[in-house]
């Protein structure tokens, strides 16, 4: 017996000592640094930089003798530089404008005891102009609350770039809420930045009907210039010009999908020639939204349901098609992968968003059982076979309420944040999370195609040619060219995130690619984008371009 154990041990140690064959490249989580603030919102603003925001709290990162709540994350060096923010950006939204300027929208009215100078952020407009310095030197946020502000107070709004390159800002609440939105404090309107229609917020019946679980409505610009919205279990198509709302079918099986019953939603990749829009909604809850939070449990399972709809007349008649994730998820994130698949990541298997409001919070978290293994959704696969986590790695870091994820210009994913606590709290279960990870797809570890040069600007419906290099081991059986808005990550939603495939022809000698840009501003609203070239499932880094003229909004033809 003893000798058997000895020999097993020696086999084991030999197995360890023998140099391993190089492993096939696989999806990998790597912890890369510390964000200094809880990165609960994130948006890529240049090839090397992401702006991150937290609430005004007592985070370790300091600026001007107080805790910071904004930062510039350097995707090259994995270091953070504090940004001085004037108003409380907690639970805000944001997007890029047609001239490349990032705008952070709305926020928290409250100050913070250790920092009396903080300003009320509910009408906040925080401007970050295009930043050319790779390390973000001299790039700052600009705020002028007296002269530059929203028309209506909005905490928990969503905002997307629309066809003229300005922002449409939807919903939210005026002041503090512990859990649900409520009719006396809700922002039941739509407004624009720069202002439109006289700057008067336009009432929305949809926002009223979808109370009380309708914060951070999931909204998408469609290729006909209208906007699809889903909040709670309701959905509509919104006409930007007239404000008309066409009611679409409810999500099936009583599933609700917006804060505090957060699922997520994504506009699936748009492909030529028809750019047929399809929206996927995953996760959230089947709970009745009339139940007070004190009667809800952190242990109540979230839903594993995904619902998908094609937004054509025929698709709307067919309604939502239901499929199932591998596990239930509250607060999942759905993120575009350059090859057209969708990453499903983060969240918990039970409970809800928000902080310490259910009857049995874990620490202060209304959610529990973090999901640590991402899945991949393949839109073109047959129903029932679209979701897989085969080969996906498992993280050690729970990412529950107040997390952020974004695809980066490198082609991998920035994964940060999580803080289901009222302030910075490092001693509780599900504590404030400062560790940043990257999730690398397998192609990060092999020779990759490269776009060697890209035009600074591209117009609509134009052909342009870029020099490329393609590793010789790739046969180039499939060539995909994606024009991507990486979106603004906040509260399990990526405002403005968009992936539009473009027709492309590879030259016979494989050194240049002739690409046809999107047909019009409805398919890709004018503004910044990254172009990713994927050859046989191996993606390049993103090449930054400006779609349209780069002029400030509103852009007209
Ligand atoms: C920060 O505090 C130090 C020491 O109290 C003081 O000398 C310095 O002027 C302060 N800096 C700012 C920007 O307020
Ligand atoms: C925050 O600002 C809004 C808009 O000006 C105002 O209505 C609200 O009362 C302010 N809240 C606080 C707590 O100061
Ligand atoms: C959507 O929610 C409303 C309000 O709770 C409810 O009346 C309606 O039946 C729900 N729709 C479906 C399809 O479950
Ligand atoms: C952290 O959360 C726990 C549980 O609610 C609480 O007892 C503790 O006071 C919190 N710590 C801070 C610094 O807020
Ligand atoms: C972009 O447009 C916005 C809105 O008009 C403006 O605030 C900002 O300063 C502009 N930035 C540049 C670089 O033109």
């Amino acid at each position: 017996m003893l000798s058997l154990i000895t020999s097993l041990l020696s086999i084991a140690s030999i197995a360890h000592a023998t140099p391993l064959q190089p492993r096939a490249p696989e999806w990998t989580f790597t912890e890369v640094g510390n964000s200094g603030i809880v990165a609960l919102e994130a948006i890529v603003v240049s090839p090397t930089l992401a702006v991150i925001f937290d609430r005004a709290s007592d985070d370790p990162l300091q600026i001007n003798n107080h805790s910071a709540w904004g930062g510039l994350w350097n995707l090259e060096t994995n270091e953070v530089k504090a940004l001085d923010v004037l108003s409380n950006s907690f639970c805000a939204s944001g997007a890029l404008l047609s001239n490349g300027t990032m705008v952070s929208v709305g926020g928290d009215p409250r100050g913070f005891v250790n920092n009396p100078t903080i300003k009320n952020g509910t009408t906040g407009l925080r401007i970050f102009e295009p930043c050319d310095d790779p390390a973000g030197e001299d790039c700052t946020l600009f705020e002028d609350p007296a002269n530059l502000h929203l028309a209506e107070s909005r905490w928990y709004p969503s905002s997307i770039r629309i066809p003229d390159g300005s922002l449409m800002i939807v919903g939210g609440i005026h002041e503090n809420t512990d859990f649900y939105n409520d009719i006396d404090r809700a922002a039941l309107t739509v407004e624009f930045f720069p202002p439109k229609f006289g700057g008067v917020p336009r009432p929305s019946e949809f926002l009223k009907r979808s109370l009380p679980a309708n914060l951070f409505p999931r909204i998408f610009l469609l290729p006909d210039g209208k906007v699809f919205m889903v909040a709670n279990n309701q959905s509509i198509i919104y006409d930007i010009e007239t404000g008309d709302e066409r009611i679409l079918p409810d999500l099936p099986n009583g599933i609700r999908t917006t804060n505090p019953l957060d699922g997520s939603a994504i506009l699936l990749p748009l492909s030529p020639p028809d750019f047929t829009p399809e929206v996927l909604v995953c996760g959230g809850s089947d709970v009745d939204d009339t139940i007070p939070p004190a009667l809800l449990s952190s242990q109540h399972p979230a839903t594993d349901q995904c619902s998908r709809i094609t937004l054509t007349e025929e698709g709307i008649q067919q309604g939502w098609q239901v499929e199932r994730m591998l596990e239930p998820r509250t607060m999942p994130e759905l993120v575009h992968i350059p090859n057209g698949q969708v990453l499903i990541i983060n969240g918990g298997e039970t409970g809800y968003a928000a902080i310490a409001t259910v009857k049995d919070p874990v620490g202060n978290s209304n959610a529990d059982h973090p999901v640590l293994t991402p899945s991949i959704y393949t839109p073109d696969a047959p129903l029932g076979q679209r979701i897989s986590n085969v080969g996906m790695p498992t993280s050690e870091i729970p990412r529950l309420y107040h997390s952020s994820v974004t695809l980066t210009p490198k082609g991998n994913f920035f994964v940060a944040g999580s803080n289901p606590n009222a302030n910075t709290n490092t001693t509780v279960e599900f504590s404030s999370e400062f560790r940043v990870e990257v999730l690398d797809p397998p192609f990060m570890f092999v020779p990759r195609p490269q776009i060697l040069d890209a035009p600074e600007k591209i117009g609509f419906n134009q052909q342009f040619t870029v020099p490329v290099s393609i590793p010789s081991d790739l046969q180039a059986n499939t060539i995909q060219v994606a024009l991507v808005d990486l979106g603004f990550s906040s509260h399990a939603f990526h405002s403005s995130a968009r992936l539009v495939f473009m027709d492309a022809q590879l030259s016979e000698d494989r050194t240049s690619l002739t690409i046809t840009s999107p047909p019009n501003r409805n398919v890709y609203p004018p503004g910044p984008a990254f172009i990713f070239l994927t050859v046989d499932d191996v993606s390049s880094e993103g090449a930054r371009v400006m779609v349209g003229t780069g002029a400030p909004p509103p852009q007209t033809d």
Side-chain angles (χ1 to χ4, degrees), residues 309-383:
I309 193 166
T310 303
L311 295 166
T312 56
E313 284 309 323
E314 197 190 340
I316 291 166
Q317 294 316 314
Q318 285 169 3
W320 295 94
Q321 185 182 61
V322 169
E323 49 200 317
R324 303 270 161 208
M325 292 186 286
L326 304 177
E327 62 286 291
R329 290 189 195 237
T330 175
M331 301 175 281
E333 308 260 358
L334 301 178
V335 197
H336 290 294
I337 304 174
N339 69 357
Q341 292 180 307
V342 173
L343 178 70
I344 305 176
I345 185 170
N346 292 353
E349 289 195 20
T350 64
Y352 311 95
I355 297 162
T357 34
V358 298
K359 66 180 177 200
D360 54 356
V362 180
N364 299 305
S365 175
N366 285 346
D368 195 9
H369 307 289
V371 190
L372 301 173
T373 309
S375 293
I376 303 280
Y377 181 88
T378 306
D380 296 340
L383 183 66

Side-chain angles (χ1 to χ4, degrees), residues 363-364 424-425 427-428:
N364 299 305
T424 311
N425 193 327
T427 55
V428 71

Side-chain angles (χ1 to χ4, degrees), residues 23 149 204 251 294 373 418 487 514:
R23 282 187 319 181
H149 56 82
S204 163
L251 289 176
T373 309
S418 191
T514 299

Side-chain angles (χ1 to χ4, degrees), residues 108-111 119-123 149-154 174-175:
D108 184 336
R110 299 168 303 176
K119 297 260 188 310
N120 178 345
T122 55
T123 59
H149 56 82
L150 292 174
E152 184 165 351
S153 286
R154 294 177 195 277
H174 296 150
E175 7 172 330

Side-chain angles (χ1 to χ4, degrees), residues 97 99 101 127 129-130 193-194 552-553:
L97 298 174
N99 60 359
T101 294
I127 305 281
E129 300 287 13
F193 179 73

Side-chain angles (χ1 to χ4, degrees), residues 233-234 250-251 254 256 289:
N233 67 349
Q234 325 248 327
D250 290 357
L251 289 176
R256 305 175 198 279
D289 63 4

Side-chain angles (χ1 to χ4, degrees), residues 375-416:
S375 293
I376 303 280
Y377 181 88
T378 306
D380 296 340
L383 183 66
Q385 296 170 35
R386 294 180 184 146
I387 301 176
S388 165
N389 64 8
V390 172
M392 296 307 284
T394 297
S395 172
E396 290 175 1
I397 304 177
R399 305 284 184 187
L400 295 171
Y401 197 42
H402 296 143
S403 304
S404 65
V405 182
T406 180
L407 174 63
T408 80
K410 294 179 178 308
N412 60 3
F413 299 88
F414 166 91
V415 182

